[in-house]
Amino acid sequence: MDTLATIKKQIAENSVILYMKGSPAQPKCGFSANAVKILQACGVQFEYVDVLENPDIRTTLPSYANWPTFPQLYIHGELIGGSDIMSEMYESGELQELLK
Amino acid sequence: MSLQQQIETKLKTALSPNYLLVENESHKHNVPKGSESHFKVTVVSTEFQDKKLIERHRLINAILKEELSKKIHALTLHTYTTDEWQKRNETARTSPPCRGGSLHESSKDSK
């Protein structure tokens, strides 16, 4: 399967998926760590893909998503945003609503 | 012109902001002294009215496309309309601490 097909499948099959640097247990970037912290605070189960371990995805996803950086959070197949947007939506309660 | 000034100029031209603060946060990260790699941008503009956060960030990403593709490693964005900014008492959140990620990558592909 080519990289784009893999990405589409991952996003379609997982209602909450985070593309990040490192793993939830060992994030390798402050923004990814923040994203994990927020999802954990929401008490939600989520899948993750470590883009440092998957260089093809790291190269392909930004242009497909029209989003240049990581982390990237997808909920029900839609890109929500990165760490800043997650923080803001968590503070306003909007993220918790989306994850219900 | 420094990268910081370049970012300021582009955003001023494109967004006519009521408030704009571009901070170089590179010193907080695992990069050589004097680097211009990590930036935090706080911008208040009427352009953001009725736009979702993702749309606001995409707008800025498009304005800074060239810088993002070559020079900027990390960009923290805080985007507010005038009303939202006043409700927040004119303060933005602080950026998360670095976790050393630049170390795990070759400098070539870091962004």
Side-chain angles (χ1 to χ4, degrees):
Chain A
M1 202 184 322
D2 71 13
T3 308
L4 191 55
T6 306
I7 291 171
K8 285 181 179 170
K9 190 164 183 280
Q10 288 168 339
I11 293 173
E13 286 179 355
N14 297 287
S15 57
V16 185
I17 182 164
L18 183 71
Y19 290 86
M20 63 178 290
K21 291 182 177 175
S23 65
Q26 277 195 311
K28 287 177 181 167
C29 154
F31 298 98
S32 289
N34 186 55
V36 167
K37 205 173 75 186
I38 290 171
L39 287 176
Q40 286 170 344
C42 291
V44 69
Q45 289 278 334
F46 64 96
E47 267 310 312
Y48 79 95
V49 174
D50 180 354
V51 297
L52 296 178
E53 298 288 332
N54 294 276
D56 291 350
I57 292 181
R58 187 182 181 187
T59 329
T60 307
L61 186 53
S63 56
Y64 168 65
N66 183 21
W67 194 257
T69 50
F70 293 98
Q72 296 188 14
L73 174 70
Y74 291 80
I75 300 178
H76 302 306
E78 193 190 345
L79 174 63
I80 303 306
S83 158
D84 294 332
I85 290 183
M86 288 176 69
S87 294
E88 219 131 302
M89 288 176 73
Y90 179 70
E91 279 173 27
S92 71
E94 217 180 318
L95 189 63
Q96 294 87 320
E97 278 299 311
L98 264 183
L99 287 166
K100 267 184 187 166
Chain B
M1 191 171 17
S2 69
L3 182 55
Q4 186 167 356
Q5 287 169 324
Q6 196 176 322
I7 295 171
E8 282 168 359
T9 308
K10 282 204 170 175
L11 291 177
K12 265 185 199 160
T13 311
L15 297 171
S16 317
N18 302 104
Y19 176 84
L20 174 68
L21 180 64
V22 178
E23 294 165 90
N24 182 352
E25 295 196 319
S26 307
H27 62 277
K28 295 182 180 174
H29 297 271
N30 204 354
V31 292
K33 209 177 170 190
S35 290
E36 289 194 295
S37 56
H38 294 67
F39 287 94
K40 173 179 165 181
V41 171
T42 307
V43 55
V44 180
S45 169
T46 50
E47 293 284 330
F48 298 141
Q49 201 73 46
D50 300 322
K51 282 195 177 72
K52 283 166 68 179
L53 282 172
I54 190 158
E55 294 167 326
R56 297 176 188 187
H57 287 220
R58 275 192 172 132
L59 182 63
I60 293 179
N61 290 340
I63 296 165
L64 301 176
K65 192 166 192 254
E66 191 194 327
E67 290 75 13
L68 277 166
S69 69
K70 291 179 196 151
K71 300 164 187 162
I72 302 176
H73 174 85
L75 181 65
T76 303
L77 295 178
H78 304 281
T79 54
Y80 308 106
T81 62
T82 317
D83 280 357
E84 290 164 352
W85 184 238
Q86 279 166 357
K87 274 184 205 147
R88 294 187 66 96
N89 299 315
E90 309 194 348
T91 53
R93 279 172 297 102
T94 50
S95 309
C98 177
R99 298 265 176 138
S102 302
L103 264 189
H104 303 274
E105 308 158 42
S106 71
S107 58
K108 189 176 153 283
D109 70 356
S110 45
K111 180 163 67 174

